[in-house]
Amino acid sequence: MYLLVLVHILQLFLLAVDSCPATCTCTTGNSRTAQLRLVQCSDPGISAVPINVPADTVKLRLEKTSISRVPRAAFYNLSELQFLWLAYNSITSIHPSSFVNLKALRELRLDGNLLTSFPWEGLRDMPLLQTLGLHNNHLSSLPAHAALFLPNITYLDLSSNRLTILPAELLDLWFPLPGQGRPVQRRILGLHDNPWLCDCQISLVMSLSMSLGSPVVLMDQMLMCSRSPGQSGMLLTQAELPRCMRPSVQPAATRVISPLGSNVILRCDATGYPTPTLTWIKTSAHVDCCRQNILESSEQLPRNLESFMQESPRVGVRWSIISLNGLSYKDAGEYRCQARNMAGISEAPIKLRVVGITRLSRLPKKKSQKTPPKSTSKYGKSSQNPATFNTPSMRENQILQNTQRPSVNKTGPNLVSEGLIKRQKMNNPDAKKKTQTSVKSTPEPSGNSATVLLSETRMRYEEDGQGQ
């Protein structure tokens, strides 16, 4: 059962591969390695992109049809497609995701349509594309971001459109300045039959393309330009055009010294024609104050700075500032203000020094001073000073203990009389009360003065001695 299902699926796949749209012609061409499938659809009755084109198609030609739009993922199943010709149709719009999965495509032709714009970001889905034909459309402008998606295009035909100005970003791509580190590719450009304005940009393209060893070759050098939109054009070679001027950069200060933690503003002004654009680059770091701390940060230099502001008050002039807040030692170093236009590049350095208290790499060890522990008494006085208390000596303590009890003679009769007295007290409660009363009324010697106790004790010992 499973075998029959697999056979049926295989038959459907082979049928889909071998099938050809009813209004198209499918042929097979020979190459050095394999046979290539070619599909051509030229029926004026076709109003949409066919969906049943064989999956192994290498070249697809949809020409002279009534197709007006190219939808999203229109060629998704054609992953082996290398040549796509959509010329001389009625296409007015192309979805940005129309060319998804065309990773093998090398040539895309859209000549003779009604396009007023082109989805340049869609070129990311065609990384191997080298040829792009947009001849004879209604394109009126080229956006600056188009240069981001055209580095691999070596054949670009923009002729017979309505273009008036070339953005500077495209000129930077086609005519790279020395020292940018990008490989120079030879490109073929079609710029003729457009109502160009007679300005410095188009004049520079013409002069550079005619120079020896130029990376750009124009299909037709008979370019026309006009003084203003709507006026009659003239040959570019006959027009008197303003000459491009290389930028000149002037910083507000070449050396800046600022304290640690402060705020500083670096400024530069540039002139040139066309009006240059400015960028900031940090090229090196100062290591005179804190070499170890800067090396530990391992900052990658040179580094392009992004947080800066620039403005052009008039044509040919531009200024820029960069603000550094809460300066630290790692902010010290050399900054370069770089100006660029079609005529060249120029830059000026600004050295920033941060001054402040130099931080020690290791703090010195403090010498510990050993102080004896202070033990305080209840009244906050040191217990090690014997002079602060009127404490009696050991002999005097024995005397004080003797004074708190009556002297007793250790002879026999005295002991017997003492026992009789105690028995009488126990049998007679009144006597007990009298004894307690007499004990309470007897004044106790005060312990505040040791001398008084000593004197009383001596007097009693003398009386006992006389009695004996």
Side-chain angles (χ1 to χ4, degrees):
M1 182 66 181
Y2 291 104
L3 183 60
L4 293 177
V5 173
L6 291 176
V7 171
H8 181 65
I9 294 175
L10 182 60
Q11 288 177 351
L12 292 177
F13 176 76
L14 293 175
L15 183 62
V17 171
D18 294 334
S19 64
C20 185
T23 56
C24 301
T25 303
C26 298
T27 60
T28 301
N30 294 325
S31 67
R32 295 180 181 179
T33 58
Q35 292 184 348
L36 304 178
R37 183 179 295 275
L38 311 177
V39 178
Q40 182 174 358
C41 306
S42 301
D43 189 347
I46 299 176
S47 60
V49 177
I51 60 175
N52 57 344
V53 178
D56 60 345
T57 301
V58 175
K59 185 174 183 179
L60 176 61
R61 297 179 62 176
L62 298 174
E63 299 175 329
K64 299 178 181 179
T65 67
S66 300
I67 298 175
S68 60
R69 56 183 294 271
V70 181
R72 174 185 296 181
F75 313 98
Y76 185 81
N77 63 323
L78 304 177
S79 59
E80 299 181 12
L81 193 64
Q82 298 182 17
F83 304 91
L84 179 58
W85 290 9
L86 303 174
Y88 300 100
N89 297 289
S90 301
I91 300 176
T92 58
S93 64
I94 300 176
H95 194 275
S97 301
S98 296
F99 309 112
V100 173
N101 204 34
L102 296 182
K103 298 180 180 180
L105 195 68
R106 298 179 181 273
E107 184 174 324
L108 175 61
R109 292 188 178 273
L110 291 161
D111 305 326
N113 284 283
L114 304 175
L115 293 173
T116 57
S117 62
F118 179 78
W120 301 99
E121 60 274 15
L123 298 178
R124 292 178 296 188
D125 299 321
M126 301 173 284
L128 300 181
L129 188 68
Q130 295 180 343
T131 300
L132 178 58
L134 293 169
H135 166 73
N136 194 16
N137 276 274
H138 296 166
L139 301 177
S140 59
S141 63
L142 287 175
H145 71 270
L148 300 176
F149 311 105
L150 292 173
N152 297 329
I153 304 299
T154 57
Y155 182 96
L156 178 61
D157 190 359
L158 297 172
S159 61
S160 301
N161 278 278
R162 301 174 182 177
L163 301 175
T164 57
I165 297 175
L166 281 175
E169 287 78 5
L170 281 176
L171 300 183
D172 290 340
L173 175 65
W174 295 337
F175 304 98
L177 296 172
Q180 292 187 0
R182 293 185 301 182
V184 179
Q185 286 185 326
R186 291 186 64 85
R187 307 174 192 272
I188 300 175
L189 301 179
L191 302 178
H192 53 281
D193 295 335
N194 280 288
W196 300 109
L197 290 178
C198 296
D199 59 3
C200 175
Q201 283 93 328
I202 196 66
S203 174
L204 186 62
V205 171
M206 174 65 72
S207 60
L208 290 177
S209 64
M210 297 177 63
S211 62
L212 184 63
S214 172
V216 172
V217 177
L218 296 180
M219 299 180 189
D220 189 351
Q221 295 184 351
M222 302 298 290
L223 302 183
M224 303 290 290
C225 70
S226 59
R227 295 290 182 183
S228 60
Q231 291 185 356
S232 59
M234 64 183 74
L235 286 175
L236 188 62
T237 55
Q238 298 177 355
E240 295 182 0
L241 302 178
R243 297 185 60 182
C244 296
M245 183 176 64
R246 183 175 178 175
S248 176
V249 183
Q250 182 63 41
T254 58
R255 293 179 179 271
V256 178
I257 301 176
S258 187
L260 185 68
S262 62
N263 303 331
V264 68
I265 294 177
L266 307 180
R267 171 172 176 153
C268 70
D269 298 82
T271 57
Y273 191 82
T275 304
T277 58
L278 298 177
T279 56
W280 287 89
I281 304 173
K282 186 177 182 181
T283 57
S284 64
H286 283 322
V287 295
D288 53 348
C289 65
C290 43
R291 183 189 185 102
Q292 183 177 358
N293 294 334
I294 293 180
L295 292 178
E296 289 177 356
S297 65
S298 64
E299 185 180 12
Q300 298 295 331
L301 299 176
R303 175 172 59 91
N304 291 330
L305 305 178
E306 299 179 356
S307 301
F308 63 90
M309 182 177 64
Q310 60 178 327
E311 186 176 337
S312 177
R314 61 182 182 275
V315 177
V317 178
R318 190 181 297 273
W319 58 264
S320 176
I321 61 174
I322 182 169
S323 179
L324 303 175
N325 299 324
L327 287 181
S328 62
Y329 289 117
K330 67 179 182 180
D331 294 322
E334 184 179 85
Y335 296 79
R336 288 184 176 271
C337 178
Q338 189 178 90
R340 179 195 302 268
N341 66 3
M342 293 180 298
I345 185 172
S346 181
E347 60 183 20
I350 301 176
K351 293 184 178 181
L352 172 63
R353 182 181 177 187
V354 178
V355 297
I357 300 176
T358 304
R359 292 178 294 180
L360 298 175
S361 59
R362 181 179 296 179
L363 294 175
K365 295 183 179 180
K366 295 182 178 180
K367 295 182 180 180
S368 60
Q369 297 180 356
K370 295 183 179 181
T371 57
K374 297 181 179 180
S375 59
T376 57
S377 63
K378 182 178 179 181
Y379 301 98
K381 295 183 180 180
S382 176
S383 61
Q384 293 183 354
N385 189 3
T388 57
F389 287 94
N390 295 324
T391 56
S393 62
M394 187 177 297
R395 174 64 178 172
E396 294 173 347
N397 287 335
Q398 294 177 356
I399 298 173
L400 288 174
Q401 292 176 1
N402 294 329
T403 56
Q404 293 179 2
R405 60 185 179 182
S407 58
V408 178
N409 194 354
K410 294 183 180 181
T411 58
N414 290 336
L415 291 175
V416 174
S417 62
E418 183 178 0
L420 293 174
I421 295 172
K422 287 183 179 181
R423 289 178 183 177
Q424 292 176 0
K425 289 182 178 179
M426 291 176 64
N427 295 328
N428 191 2
D430 295 333
K432 194 175 190 178
K433 291 181 181 180
K434 291 180 181 179
T435 307
Q436 292 178 354
T437 305
S438 62
V439 171
K440 289 181 181 179
S441 60
T442 304
E444 295 181 358
S446 176
N448 295 333
S449 177
T451 56
V452 174
L453 293 175
L454 290 175
S455 60
E456 292 179 356
T457 304
R458 289 173 183 171
M459 291 175 63
R460 289 181 180 180
Y461 270 98
E462 291 177 356
E463 292 175 356
D464 291 341
Q466 292 177 0
Q468 295 176 357

